[in-house]
Every structure is written in structure tokens, then in C-alpha cells.
Amino acid sequence: MTEEPGPPATAARERRWTRRLAPVVVAALSGLLLYTSFPPRTLWWLAPPAFAGFAWAVRGRSWKAGLGLGYVFGLGFLLPLLVWTGVEVGPVPWLALVAIEAVFTALVGAGAAALSRLPGWPLWAATLWIAGEAARARVPFDGFPWGKVAFGQADGVFLPLAALGGTPVLGFAVVLCGFGLYEALRLGAVARSGTAVRRGTAAVAAAAVALPVGAALAARPLVSDAAEDGSVTVAAIQGNVPRLGLGFNDQRRAVLDNHVKETERLASEVARGRVPQPDLVLWPENSSDIDPFRNADARRAVERAVAAIGAPISVGAVVTSDDGRLWNQQVLWDPEKGPVDTYDKRQIQPFGEYLPLRSIVTAVSSDASMVRQDFSRGSEPGVFTMAGARVGLATCYEAAFDWAVRDTVNEGAQLLSVPSNNATFGRSEMTHQQLAMSRVRAVEHSRTVVVPVTSGVSAVIMPDGRVVDRTELFTADSLVAEVPLRSDTTPATRLGALPELLLVVVAAGGLGWALLARVRARGTAAG
């Protein structure tokens, strides 16, 4: 007969399980805490504690344990953050996307565990996180940078760092502060236990917390909303959609009519002197899903709106070219000359605007039939000259990509427009997350950003990241504001991808050092 284990054996087993499960629980909760720091909440300050918890989970562990804990951290973060991707198509695409994206955080966790044995490890680990974000923004299918740490900091003290080095430097500062916070707390506990702590080690931990905050404060003079090239009065039209979700696509004419009616309503308000006459008008993406170049009725509707408001309009249209290709296009419509310029969206959305691996996806998912024809990809930055102002265009999904916004500024954009269509995602957090991206872009490039959205939230954002006016979700509305034009470029714009490249190189150097140290340790043990 087998005897039951006594109290000491049971207690020992419980302690073993606690030691095994505690890092998993902390990693998951830390990922959830990072999610909580993102919009629509303004809890940006939760991001450093989230990375402090992640650091506790992976520090000193094997790379295999770090791999698993990093994946758990990624699930805790990305599962709630990206739930909007399954609003209309069910949980399978959402879960598949998260499962793939969490692989990148898993690899960061494995690397961070290895780096945690190096002197000054918070620095190495923070650069590795940015390297993971850089990879996630590029692969697979041209990348998916949604959820970059920088995009959760639109209301935070670190935001001015976007003007210094873009989203990589802003994200690096937040992550470094979090890892440094954990290391400072750990060393404090060590010191309280009576064990001596090296001054250099303590100084590095303190610097990892203090320097990001100090750098952010020092970068504040880079943020300005001064009108260097005068100002313009801009209007953003939100016509609304007839119904939430994917069904709005079945009501294409109603969507166009809504934007025409809202523009005409605004024109009547201008005529009564209730709002100023806009110099230029911005319509959202998909405001005319009926091709105005091929459909005479749609063209007349757009021309009626342009004539009513008496200003050039940037119209979001779905256009079919003579060779049969499909384009997500912005069309510059002049009151006197008609359509005079176009911009073709360059960063198109996989599984939304084109279908990768079409034969495989079609075989396993009935939802693939919704993407009947792939959109073609534009190749040139879009900058419209509207009422003498140079308006840069980054259509919806493009706002998440550093290069897509930076290119327009380098092409001479004095203000930016992010025409979007978020109707597919209902009342989810998606539109608030995207609005935060545009706020970061405003500071990054020191440009006014106007966000016209079919169903909301539309907004006018000043170059310092402030939202000066916005609409509500699923209402017909318009925004009119006088905004500054700016031509000076920030260090982030001038440096381009260089800060990200340098951080990736540093991360690679840290991993090489960690690998070399491991090889030497094995050689010493063998000898």
C-alpha cells in the first residue's frame, strides 16, 4: 500500500508548482497591463510597470523558458488589443493573427532571458523589444505594426521623443524605463537583505529609469504648433454609413449620398455665417465606393458637393483602371477643373484589400469570398496641392507604418490627412487606437493631422498632438478648423529609419555578446 505524502512533501510540491506557475501568471498579467495602457484609456503610465513585470518573469531563466513566457506575455497583450479584428468575421481570424504576432514577443522573451545575464541588461533587452517590433512591422505579408508601444503613449510624458527619433525611440524609452524600474526594485531588495550591490550596477539601473524621462523632458522644445507657412481652414466630412459592420459595403450609394449631404449641410452653415468658409475639404476613405470616373451619376453627386462648398475636396474612391485593376484612391476634385490629381494607397491591408495565399485561404475559409479581387498597390507618395497648401495623404492602415507617413513629409507635405473607414469594426476600440497613431505622427513630424473617417472618430490634431476637435462614432458630422502649415522637419523626419536600425544593431550586438559569454562559460566548465 502506497503511503500518502506527508505535510513536508506536500508543501515542497506546492512550492515547486508556485515557482513554475508564478512567472507564467505574471507574464500574462503584465501583457494585460500593457494592453490597459492603450487607448481609449489614458493610462499610458501603466506601460513601464508592465515591462517591469515582464522583466521579473524572464530574468535569469533559460532561453526556452523565456520563449514560452514571451509568448504568454504577447497573448496577454494582443488578445484583447486586437479583438476588433474578429468583430464581423468571427474569432478564427482574430486568434490566428494573435497566434502569429505573439511569436515575435516569444522571440523577444527568449532573447531577453539570455541578455539578462549581461551587465546593463535593461538596455540590451529594451533594444531587443524594438528589434522585435521592427520585424513585426515587416513580416509576414508586409508586416503588422499595430500595437507598437509608441502608439500607447499619445497622452504620455514620453511623447516628445517621437519628434527626436520616431516611434522606435519613443517605444525604446518606455520599455527601457520599465526594465530599469524592475532592476532598480530588485537591487533595492538585494541591498535591504544585507548583500552589497555594486555602485556601477545600481547606477545603470537608476539611469535606465531616469534617462528616458529626462530625455523626454529635454525633447519638449522640438514640439511646436507655430504656423511657419501661414494657416488654412480645413473641413473634415464624416457622412456616416447606413449600418454597422461589413454590410455597409452593400450600401455604397447611400454612403456617397451621406457625404454629399453632409458637405451640402456644411455649405449652408457657411452661407449663414455660422462657420468659416473652408479652404479645403477632406472626405474619408471609401466615401465613394462607386467609381466616379465610370459612373456618371456618382460623378454628378461629387461635383454637386464640390460646387456647394466652393473648395477642393479630396475624395476617397474605389477606382477601376482601364486594364481592370482595382485601386483604393484619393481623388483631388477641384471646383473648376474637376479631378486633377490622384493618390493610390501603397500599404494595402492583407486579407482585407488583398488575399495572400489565395488558393489555400479559399480552400479553408468561406470568408475569403469577400475579397473577390485584390486591390493594386500604389508606388508614389501622395501630396495634393489644395488652396496653396501641400496636403500629405496616408490612407487608414498606412498610418501604422513609419515609412508611409514619413515619405509624404519628405515630399513637402505641410499638413497630413489620414482618410479612414472604420465602419467594419463597429464600436470597438480600433478607431481610438488608430486615432492615437495619428496623434503620435503629428508630433513625430510636427504636422497638423486631419483624420476624416466615414463613421468616426474623425478629428483635427495639432502638431503637438492635441486633439482640438473630434466627432462621435456613427453620426453624420463635420469639423472645421484653422490649422497651421509647417515646413520645418523634426530630427525624426530627417533621420528616417536610422534610429530603428541602430537599435536593431545594438540588440544584435547584445545577443552576440550573450552567446559568446555562454560559449565561454561552457568551455570553462568543461575545462
Side-chain angles (χ1 to χ4, degrees):
M1 184 174 179
T2 304
E3 294 184 3
E4 293 292 327
T10 301
R13 185 171 60 187
E14 289 176 352
R15 284 194 297 270
R16 285 196 302 271
W17 275 106
T18 300
R19 285 195 299 268
R20 291 174 181 175
L21 290 178
V24 177
V25 173
V26 170
L29 292 177
S30 297
L32 184 61
L33 193 65
L34 181 59
Y35 155 73
T36 307
S37 73
F38 273 66
R41 295 157 296 277
T42 57
L43 303 176
W44 58 270
W45 47 270
L46 290 178
F51 281 100
F54 183 42
W56 180 89
V58 300
R59 183 187 177 276
R61 304 191 187 278
S62 69
W63 70 267
K64 291 181 180 179
L67 186 73
L69 292 168
Y71 198 80
V72 170
F73 178 82
L75 293 179
F77 171 45
L78 295 170
L79 273 171
L81 186 80
L82 302 179
V83 68
W84 51 266
T85 60
V87 166
E88 291 296 328
V89 293
V92 174
W94 161 50
L95 296 174
L97 175 63
V98 171
I100 293 170
E101 295 299 306
V103 169
F104 294 94
T105 62
L107 295 173
V108 170
L115 292 170
S116 68
R117 294 173 173 80
L118 298 180
W121 73 269
L123 169 67
W124 307 109
T127 61
L128 183 61
W129 179 271
I130 300 305
E133 287 191 341
R136 197 159 64 86
R138 290 167 173 82
V139 293
F141 312 126
D142 295 320
F144 186 75
W146 214 280
K148 292 178 75 169
V149 169
F151 295 148
Q153 296 296 307
D155 292 292
V157 69
F158 297 102
L159 181 60
L161 289 171
L164 182 64
T167 59
V169 169
L170 172 54
F172 168 72
V174 175
V175 179
L176 177 61
C177 188
F179 286 156
L181 176 63
Y182 163 73
E183 186 68 357
L185 293 174
R186 185 186 72 83
L187 293 176
V190 170
R192 286 192 297 273
S193 69
T195 304
V197 175
R198 294 181 179 179
R199 290 183 179 180
T201 304
V204 169
V209 177
L211 286 181
V213 177
L217 296 176
R220 292 181 67 179
L222 296 174
V223 180
S224 173
D225 61 358
E228 296 174 329
D229 303 317
S231 60
V232 293
T233 300
V234 60
I237 302 298
Q238 178 176 303
N240 202 15
V241 298
R243 63 169 69 99
L244 280 68
L246 293 172
F248 87 92
N249 284 309
D250 301 326
Q251 302 283 325
R252 295 180 297 167
R253 183 53 198 256
V255 174
L256 172 58
D257 288 343
N258 285 353
H259 285 83
V260 172
K261 290 175 182 177
E262 183 58 30
T263 304
E264 291 176 330
R265 187 198 66 79
L266 176 62
S268 68
E269 294 291 293
V270 171
R272 293 185 179 94
R274 294 176 179 173
V275 294
Q277 167 67 43
D279 299 307
L280 58 97
V281 180
L282 303 173
W283 280 12
E285 178 188 35
N286 298 124
S287 47
S288 180
D289 272 359
I290 302 174
D291 187 343
F293 297 111
R294 293 179 175 270
N295 185 294
D297 194 39
R299 184 184 184 110
R300 284 192 294 271
V302 173
E303 289 176 340
R304 190 170 72 247
V306 175
I309 198 64
I313 300 180
S314 177
V315 178
V318 173
V319 173
T320 303
S321 56
D322 291 339
D323 59 4
R325 289 190 293 170
L326 199 62
W327 304 90
N328 186 336
Q329 199 168 85
Q330 287 289 310
V331 182
L332 173 54
W333 216 288
D334 185 83
E336 298 178 358
K337 301 177 182 178
V340 294
D341 202 356
T342 60
Y343 166 64
D344 300 315
K345 187 175 182 181
R346 295 175 292 162
Q347 187 69 41
I348 56 177
Q349 182 182 353
F351 304 101
E353 292 172 307
Y354 78 100
L355 197 61
L357 310 175
R358 179 175 286 274
S359 60
I360 298 174
V361 175
T362 302
V364 300
S365 174
S366 60
D367 292 329
S369 61
M370 290 187 292
V371 188
R372 292 186 293 272
Q373 181 181 352
D374 293 344
F375 278 83
S376 296
R377 187 188 303 270
S379 59
E380 299 295 329
V383 181
F384 287 166
T385 300
M386 305 178 69
R390 299 276 287 168
V391 181
L393 300 164
T395 304
C396 197
Y397 186 57
E398 292 182 320
F401 293 83
D402 294 347
W403 64 268
V405 183
R406 184 170 58 239
D407 280 0
T408 64
V409 179
N410 286 329
E411 285 293 314
Q414 297 168 302
L415 67 90
L416 299 172
S417 173
V418 182
S420 303
N421 175 23
N422 299 337
T424 302
F425 306 108
R427 298 183 180 276
S428 69
E429 294 182 355
M430 180 271 184
T431 192
H432 302 286
Q433 294 170 8
Q434 189 179 56
L435 179 60
M437 293 179 192
S438 295
R439 294 180 63 192
V440 173
R441 298 303 184 196
V443 174
E444 181 179 10
H445 300 293
S446 194
R447 295 291 187 272
T448 297
V449 179
V450 182
V451 187
V453 186
T454 51
S455 55
V457 173
S458 301
V460 178
I461 305 165
M462 297 297 279
D464 59 4
R466 288 180 298 118
V467 177
V468 295
D469 204 358
R470 56 179 288 170
T471 65
E472 297 299 322
L473 280 168
F474 294 100
T475 58
D477 203 353
S478 55
L479 304 174
V480 179
E482 183 178 1
V483 299
L485 299 176
R486 293 181 57 81
S487 56
D488 190 23
T489 54
T490 63
T493 308
R494 295 192 293 272
L495 291 170
L498 182 60
E500 182 180 62
L501 176 61
L502 291 176
L503 290 169
V504 171
V505 169
V506 172
L511 289 174
W513 184 9
L515 180 61
L516 182 61
R518 182 179 178 85
V519 170
R520 287 178 174 175
R522 284 184 173 180
T524 301

